[in-house]
Amino acid sequence: MAVNKKFKEMYFNFFEIPEVFAANTISKIQERRALRKNIDRTYKLTKAQKKAIYDFWKPYTKISPKWAQYYSAKNGNFDPRYIPNDLCYTKIDQYFNSRKLGYGFNDKNYYSKIFSGIKQPEVVIRKINSLTFDENYKQISVNEAKSKLLCNDEVICKPSQESGSGRGILFFKSTDEGRIEEFLTNPEYDDYVVQKIVKQHSELNKVHANSLNCIRICSILFDDGVYILSSVLRMGFGDSKVDNATAKDNIKYDGMSCGIDENGCLKKYAHGYNTGAKCEKHPDGLVFEGFKIPSYDKAVELVKKAHPLIGHFRLVSWDVAIGEDGEPVLIEANMRKGGINLLQFNNGPLFGDLTERVLDEVFGKEAL
């Protein structure tokens, strides 16, 4: 028997509202704690700047001017339109992106189906609910999976659900037979996708050869198409194999990123993810300003092609690698709560000239 749509909505709201409230409360506490920890208290907003923040946000909601202080102090560019992190994650992100569908769509094991036709890393095996499958979703035995892994010089194993900041990523070489068997048989590793290592473009090896240095592109989907909001290059350093390492020579960059301009070139400074620590060159030596990102235009086109495939997620942060052949490779689509620190530190307010359009929609066109 079909369930009345209105009754179904009431049912979901009854159970969802308390959960959403709890999740949002935790998120606000976390973001405001990080703000207190990392804000530069020596940087003061002027009365005119505080008034500009108040006047801009008055039609929408009340916000703390400390968020503009936080970002402006790090990059030297004041703007009243900086999006507060707590507001972004508990209001804006939830408006544009479906929480109900997020857990399923955001499973990397199903990217091959969702983004069919878009170049992605080659899958070796999949672990789904502790069961093992090949790249085509055919169920296989543990021994078959083990043989597939041992045939590769090196593979990367990524948690397929609710991952971030490099958490849970494993690397196996063909000599790691014991570790591979533990991975395949231990139920703790229940949902993973195992992929061949992407060989990146030689130019990006100049940034940092040990890690896959990805382009983070944030896009928004409106009724008139996909808009690119902000792009940065995420970089590893030192011995890190991922692009979100945490420290080098006691300088805490929390994941180094550098803004990319409209011509595909890096900007002058890179910033740390939380602290906003600023530097003009990579710890391994590369000077950022003017460095040309290969195939940046192709990465943008990949995002514009991919975004309409997930219409329930209108604000998405994409991680795109550039392969050694110059073709973009989709690494990840962050369909919920894509980090905004690295975008606003490097490129200013997340939505730029689209800010009013975004806020008008989110707040029901209250700005009249």
Side-chain angles (χ1 to χ4, degrees):
M1 182 176 68
V3 179
N4 180 278
K5 185 176 180 180
K6 186 174 182 180
F7 178 80
K8 187 177 181 180
E9 184 177 347
M10 290 173 60
Y11 176 84
F12 276 118
N13 285 342
F14 179 80
F15 288 100
E16 258 202 315
I17 287 175
E19 190 274 333
V20 172
F21 176 81
N24 285 349
T25 299
I26 293 171
S27 182
K28 288 178 181 178
I29 291 172
Q30 291 174 334
E31 293 304 323
R32 292 170 185 176
R33 182 182 297 159
L35 175 67
R36 290 194 298 270
K37 179 180 178 181
N38 295 306
I39 195 170
D40 183 351
R41 290 177 173 79
T42 65
Y43 180 93
K44 304 294 183 182
L45 296 174
T46 66
K47 289 184 178 180
Q49 288 173 332
K50 290 180 180 179
K51 184 177 185 303
I53 296 168
Y54 173 80
D55 290 344
F56 179 80
W57 286 95
K58 182 179 179 181
Y60 305 111
T61 187
K62 184 178 180 180
I63 69 161
S64 169
K66 290 182 179 179
W67 288 106
Q69 177 184 347
Y70 174 52
Y71 286 111
S72 301
K74 304 300 183 180
N75 60 28
N77 298 311
F78 170 77
D79 196 306
R81 301 174 298 174
Y82 282 111
I83 304 298
N85 294 31
D86 52 359
L87 179 69
C88 183
Y89 298 138
T90 63
K91 177 75 173 180
I92 297 174
D93 184 85
Q94 290 175 21
Y95 174 87
F96 285 113
N97 299 324
S98 171
R99 297 184 80 257
K100 295 175 185 175
L101 297 177
Y103 298 104
F105 270 79
N106 227 357
D107 189 325
K108 296 182 184 68
N109 265 315
Y110 297 104
Y111 279 13
S112 301
K113 293 184 177 293
I114 297 170
F115 300 113
S116 175
I118 293 175
K119 190 172 184 180
Q120 301 172 49
E122 187 175 344
V123 174
V124 181
I125 68 158
R126 308 176 191 276
K127 285 197 73 176
I128 302 174
N129 196 24
S130 294
L131 303 175
T132 51
F133 300 81
D134 69 9
E135 69 276 18
N136 296 314
Y137 303 94
K138 177 185 175 183
Q139 192 169 1
I140 58 177
S141 69
V142 168
N143 283 336
E144 289 174 307
K146 180 179 175 181
S147 296
K148 282 179 172 289
L149 295 184
L150 291 174
C151 286
N152 292 273
D153 292 335
E154 187 174 26
V155 295
I156 181 171
C157 310
K158 305 174 184 176
S160 64
Q161 298 179 23
E162 295 297 299
S163 60
S165 302
R167 293 190 301 270
I169 288 180
L170 304 169
F171 290 89
F172 294 139
K173 294 184 178 181
S174 58
T175 54
D176 295 329
E177 186 172 354
R179 292 180 61 224
I180 288 172
E181 188 161 341
E182 164 71 9
F183 168 75
L184 292 172
T185 57
N186 189 335
E188 179 183 343
Y189 304 112
D190 51 354
D191 290 287
Y192 269 75
V193 60
V194 183
Q195 301 169 335
K196 292 186 177 182
I197 302 295
V198 174
K199 295 181 180 179
Q200 69 185 348
H201 195 282
S202 58
E203 284 298 295
L204 291 172
N205 278 332
K206 294 178 181 178
V207 179
H208 186 252
N210 287 342
S211 63
L212 186 64
N213 306 298
C214 289
I215 305 170
R216 166 64 62 90
I217 301 176
C218 184
S219 64
I220 191 167
L221 182 63
F222 284 126
D223 56 6
D224 57 345
V226 178
Y227 287 76
I228 303 300
L229 297 174
S230 186
S231 300
V232 300
L233 181 69
R234 298 177 61 185
M235 300 163 279
F237 48 83
D239 296 328
S240 173
K241 291 186 176 183
V242 295
D243 59 6
N244 40 29
T246 56
K248 171 72 174 179
D249 296 334
N250 297 319
I251 303 173
K252 295 184 179 180
Y253 292 107
D254 323 82
M256 180 184 294
S257 64
C258 187
I260 303 173
D261 66 23
E262 62 276 9
N263 297 314
C265 293
L266 294 185
K267 297 183 177 180
K268 185 173 182 178
Y269 296 107
H271 293 268
Y273 181 70
N274 285 310
T275 64
K278 186 166 65 173
C279 58
E280 294 185 47
K281 67 178 183 178
H282 192 280
D284 295 344
L286 180 85
V287 174
F288 298 124
E289 188 171 25
F291 180 82
K292 181 76 172 178
I293 303 297
S295 302
Y296 173 71
D297 55 339
K298 290 185 178 182
V300 169
E301 288 307 311
L302 181 150
V303 167
K304 289 183 176 180
K305 179 181 178 181
H307 202 157
L309 300 175
I310 49 172
H312 283 288
F313 306 93
R314 294 175 52 198
L315 180 62
V316 180
S317 289
W318 309 82
D319 288 327
V320 181
I322 304 299
E324 60 182 351
D325 60 356
E327 293 302 312
V329 182
L330 175 61
I331 302 299
E332 184 170 2
N334 297 278
M335 302 178 205
R336 290 182 58 236
K337 299 182 73 172
I340 65 172
N341 274 10
L342 70 171
L343 300 172
Q344 294 201 131
F345 279 142
N346 287 292
N347 299 323
L350 177 63
F351 300 111
D353 293 338
L354 293 171
T355 304
E356 283 99 332
R357 180 176 179 178
V358 168
L359 296 180
D360 285 349
E361 181 174 345
V362 172
F363 290 92
K365 298 187 181 297
E366 295 173 11
L368 299 175

